[in-house]
Amino acid sequence: MLTPPFTYCYPFLLLSVHVHFGMSGAWALFNSLSEEPEVKPTTRLRLEETTINNKRYITHLSAMTVQSGTPSLYWDKKVALGADPLRSDADVDLLYDKVSKSKKSIAQLIMDQSYFTGPGNIYRAEILFMAGVYPTSKGVDLDRATFDRIWDVTVKLLRRGYDTGSILTVDADLDPEAAARGERRYIYNKSNCVRCGGRVHSWDINGRTCYACEGGCQPKIKVESNIVVKEEAGEKMAQKQHTPFISHCAPIDLQQRLNGGAEQLTIAEIRTVLEEMSVDLPPKSARKSVHVDALNEALLKQKGTQKKTRKEKASKPLPPPRVSAEEAAQEKAISGENRSVEHVAELSSGQAIKAVSTITPSPVAAKKVSKRKGSVKSSPTKKRSSRRELKYDA
């Protein structure tokens, strides 16, 4: 394992490094020593390259896992991985052969890196939704056409994530109204399907929350086996309509959460809504249940007699693919997503803050601005492009 202040300089060309960013890692590029920040305890690796004209390029890496070794480390890792949607040489036939022999559910297989390389829990939910496949469908029960649909969606979504620097799954061509509302995902952390409005059920599979639309978007595969029927009956008992949680990965608009009940809001959000409604606030020291009751009572009095007190977010279509790292950070800031989660790995914390400075001057200033009524976000300025080229054969 590499720990700071490890510095590598070329020509260490035979060194293999395995990196797993985790939820908040970053591999940032700096063009000069003057631009380079100090090495921090979370900096796992520092690389420096000097070009012919003596221009320096420095990178700082922070990640959950950083492992170094000989080239055999690379081959050992590679052989353990399944098909990679970001590679043009992915062996899809081999993957289908493995899937079609497995009695595990497709939800389990998509999260198994020895089958599908790359997808996490958000992608699993959205891939199966867009492919129209129920999560508990067994690998052995998937015909080739259904599998191909799953693979095609996986490739589309992961490459789009690479291009945009964010997990964006709502397709503006298929669902223009949802995209215009600013929806970013169909069912992940949703109580109702963005497309059909049907209930979204959630349950646990191997310690991770699994999601499915029960409104008809993901029909179940009918299997005659008594064993499968028993399994499905047990899973159905454990399923329930999903209650959205407060997530930095996939935030739900305040108004959407409020539609599910005042208890879906934080105390700070409840107090903000009550202030906008010109309602007396409970003491700050009061429990959340007291705040929830106060807001529910105020909403009940207001229902049917007043207009909505909160303005809807401006309709904003999803951004086009192939954006720079700075542009991706700006888009995430506008959407309300936390920049440190599901982030653009090429930007350090300081670079990300600078990239969104025209939108959110600083975390502290942004918090103050969000409390003001009628505040207008300034348009993001054009930054130096840092477009990424996909190396299929790297």
Side-chain angles (χ1 to χ4, degrees):
M1 305 298 288
L2 300 177
T3 55
F6 246 100
T7 298
Y8 276 122
C9 301
Y10 289 111
F12 287 96
L13 299 178
L14 298 181
L15 178 72
S16 294
V17 180
H18 169 238
V19 176
H20 178 26
F21 285 106
M23 292 297 289
S24 58
W27 201 328
L29 173 66
F30 307 99
N31 295 317
S32 65
L33 289 173
S34 60
E35 183 183 345
E36 179 190 11
E38 64 177 309
V39 175
K40 298 180 179 179
T42 54
T43 305
R44 303 293 302 280
L45 175 66
R46 178 184 181 275
L47 297 175
E48 180 177 337
E49 177 188 42
T50 303
T51 60
I52 297 177
N53 60 1
N54 288 326
K55 185 173 182 179
R56 294 178 181 271
Y57 293 98
I58 305 103
T59 65
H60 282 197
L61 169 66
S62 62
M64 184 173 69
T65 300
V66 184
Q67 186 180 7
S68 65
T70 64
S72 64
L73 173 64
Y74 167 79
W75 294 110
D76 290 343
K77 295 293 183 183
K78 187 177 187 303
V79 74
L81 295 174
D84 186 344
L86 295 182
R87 294 185 64 94
S88 59
D89 61 354
D91 193 336
V92 184
D93 292 330
L94 177 61
L95 175 60
Y96 176 66
D97 186 58
K98 292 172 61 179
V99 169
S100 63
K101 295 176 181 177
S102 176
K103 294 183 179 180
K104 291 183 177 181
S105 68
I106 186 59
Q108 291 172 294
L109 298 178
I110 286 182
M111 293 281 280
D112 187 336
Q113 298 294 296
S114 66
Y115 284 77
F116 292 77
T117 300
N121 201 33
I122 300 178
Y123 274 125
R124 173 174 70 177
E126 300 295 293
I127 288 169
L128 292 178
F129 172 82
M130 293 189 70
V133 178
Y134 203 78
T136 57
S137 303
K138 310 299 180 184
V140 299
D141 297 325
L142 299 179
D143 58 31
R144 184 58 192 254
T146 302
F147 166 81
D148 286 341
R149 200 162 64 245
I150 293 172
W151 176 253
D152 290 344
V153 171
T154 302
V155 171
K156 175 183 178 180
L157 293 188
L158 265 68
R159 290 187 178 177
R160 186 183 187 189
Y162 171 86
D163 287 342
T164 64
S166 295
I167 300 179
L168 304 172
T169 60
V170 171
D171 192 317
D173 293 330
L174 297 176
D175 301 284
E177 292 183 4
R181 293 197 304 269
E183 297 286 0
R184 299 164 72 81
R185 301 173 190 95
Y186 288 102
I187 61 172
Y188 178 79
N189 198 25
K190 305 279 189 182
S191 59
N192 293 91
C193 173
V194 165
R195 176 176 288 170
C196 75
R199 289 188 175 187
V200 173
H201 283 182
S202 65
W203 66 100
D204 181 271
I205 293 184
N206 294 345
R208 302 299 297 274
T209 303
C210 188
Y211 301 84
C213 169
E214 303 292 345
C217 295
Q218 293 173 270
K220 295 181 180 181
I221 295 177
K222 293 184 179 180
V223 181
E224 299 301 326
S225 169
N226 290 330
I227 296 177
V228 174
V229 170
K230 289 180 180 179
E231 287 180 354
E232 287 187 350
E235 287 165 351
K236 189 172 183 179
M237 289 177 63
Q239 295 173 8
K240 59 182 180 180
Q241 184 172 14
H242 181 70
T243 300
F245 52 87
I246 298 175
S247 167
H248 291 301
C249 298
I252 303 298
D253 180 80
L254 186 148
Q255 187 60 49
Q256 290 176 309
R257 283 186 284 122
L258 184 56
N259 290 338
E263 63 275 3
Q264 300 298 322
L265 275 58
T266 64
I267 291 179
E269 289 173 331
I270 291 175
R271 295 182 70 85
T272 298
V273 174
L274 289 173
E275 285 180 347
E276 293 185 353
M277 296 175 70
S278 300
V279 175
D280 292 337
L281 302 178
K284 283 188 176 181
S285 58
R287 293 184 177 183
K288 183 175 180 179
S289 59
V290 176
H291 284 81
V292 169
D293 290 342
L295 179 53
N296 283 334
E297 183 180 353
L299 291 172
L300 188 61
K301 291 180 179 179
Q302 180 195 62
K303 188 176 181 180
T305 60
Q306 296 180 1
K307 295 181 180 180
K308 291 182 179 179
T309 58
R310 296 188 60 83
K311 294 182 178 180
E312 295 281 342
K313 280 189 175 181
S315 296
K316 189 173 185 63
L318 292 173
R322 303 301 296 174
V323 301
S324 70
E326 292 83 2
E327 290 167 334
Q330 291 170 352
E331 190 276 331
K332 287 175 69 63
I334 291 173
S335 72
E337 290 200 340
N338 190 307
R339 63 177 172 76
S340 65
V341 184
E342 302 300 350
H343 59 293
V344 182
E346 290 89 337
L347 298 180
S348 68
S349 176
Q351 289 172 325
I353 291 174
K354 183 179 180 180
V356 302
S357 61
T358 57
I359 302 165
T360 54
S362 72
V364 175
K367 191 173 182 180
K368 293 179 179 178
V369 170
S370 66
K371 293 182 179 180
R372 300 175 191 157
K373 290 184 179 181
S375 60
V376 180
K377 297 176 182 176
S378 57
S379 302
T381 57
K382 197 70 175 178
K383 299 289 183 180
R384 176 182 60 82
S385 175
S386 58
R387 297 181 186 276
R388 297 155 285 169
E389 294 300 324
L390 186 61
K391 303 296 184 183
Y392 288 115
D393 303 316

